[in-house]
């Protein structure tokens, strides 16, 4: 969908300067490729994935794609449904969490987060850097399932203060060279 030339809320801009909105598919998802992600494991897709998370609370990822990320993405909203599917996400040296949901709080500020699937790995499996995957904070009624994480650092899944009524189930194996490796870290 074409946006007005003076729009500030558009999702992508073509090489010719045309501003566009990404439209959800039948399931309501907007996919990373719709906002310019390549998903080849070589290109840095972090900026495009940030646009995706700004554009929708129902992001989707193409099965079999590999998204390399050099920075993380934060989503502050209620009713988030993330389908990582059978896509792979590579933390390419980012000292932080690839995906952050919610914000630190004494009590929940956000609710209804569902995250499914995904393969998460480090670009350097022996990294001594504090490079992590998913962080949840200040969120109630959350579910993170069906994931596989390898070479975890300080926290594969980090559940921070203000969270309640959550469920986590996935596969985590192999530690990085970081000094304190935690598969699931519940803090606060």
């Amino acid at each position: 969908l074409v946006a007005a030339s003076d729009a500030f809320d558009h999702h992508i801009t073509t090489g010719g300067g045309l501003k566009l909105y990404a439209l959800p598919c039948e399931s309501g998802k907007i996919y990373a490729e719709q906002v310019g992600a390549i998903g080849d494991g070589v290109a840095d897709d972090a900026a495009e994935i940030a646009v995706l998370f700004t554009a929708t609370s129902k992001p989707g990822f193409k099965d079999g794609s590999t998204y390399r990320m050099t920075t993380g993405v934060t989503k502050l909203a209620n009713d988030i449904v993330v389908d990582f599917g059978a896509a792979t996400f590579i933390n390419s040296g980012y000292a932080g969490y690839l995906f952050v949901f919610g914000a630190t709080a004494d009590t929940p500020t956000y609710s209804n987060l569902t995250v499914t699937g995904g393969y998460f790995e480090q670009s350097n499996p022996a990294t001594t850097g504090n490079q992590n995957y998913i962080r949840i904070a200040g969120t109630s009624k959350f579910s993170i399932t069906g994931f596989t994480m390898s070479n975890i650092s300080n926290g594969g899944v980090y559940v921070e203060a203000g969270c309640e009524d959550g469920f986590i189930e996935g596969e985590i194996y192999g530690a990085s060279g970081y000094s304190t490796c935690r598969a699931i870290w519940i803090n606060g």
Side-chain angles (χ1 to χ4, degrees):
L1 181 63
V2 177
S5 60
D6 60 349
F8 290 101
D9 62 343
H10 61 288
H11 302 132
I12 47 180
T13 303
T14 67
L18 184 64
K19 296 177 180 183
L20 302 172
Y21 295 109
L23 297 178
C25 64
E26 287 181 19
S27 68
K29 297 177 197 168
I30 295 177
Y31 282 84
E33 285 72 15
Q34 288 178 259
V35 294
I38 304 299
D40 64 358
V42 177
D44 180 4
D45 290 314
E48 290 78 12
I49 292 172
V51 168
L52 175 66
F53 274 66
T54 299
T56 184
S57 287
K58 290 183 79 175
F61 297 88
K62 190 171 139 189
D63 288 347
S65 291
T66 299
Y67 303 95
R68 186 174 71 84
M69 298 176 67
T70 57
T71 61
V73 173
T74 298
K75 183 72 174 178
L76 304 174
N78 293 310
D79 306 314
I80 301 169
V81 179
V82 180
D83 180 8
F84 288 125
T88 298
F89 299 85
I90 299 173
N91 186 332
S92 190
Y94 177 61
Y97 290 86
L98 288 185
F99 297 97
V100 175
F101 301 99
T104 302
D106 291 334
T107 58
T109 304
Y110 303 99
S111 64
N112 302 317
L113 167 66
T114 303
V115 177
T116 56
Y119 299 94
F120 299 84
E121 59 188 52
Q122 304 287 352
S123 60
N124 174 6
T127 184
T128 58
N130 189 9
Q131 300 168 13
N132 307 289
Y133 302 123
I134 297 175
R135 176 179 165 235
I136 309 147
T139 302
S140 66
K141 299 177 186 167
F142 66 88
S143 171
I144 301 174
T145 60
F147 60 84
T148 300
M149 295 179 176
S150 63
N151 306 110
I152 57 107
S153 193
N154 199 21
V157 177
Y158 177 39
V159 180
E160 197 177 302
C163 289
E164 63 184 26
D165 193 16
F167 180 78
I168 301 170
E169 182 177 53
E171 297 179 22
I172 300 176
Y173 60 94
S176 68
Y178 190 72
S179 59
T180 54
C181 297
R182 301 172 179 103
I184 299 173
W185 182 16
I186 300 175
N187 185 18

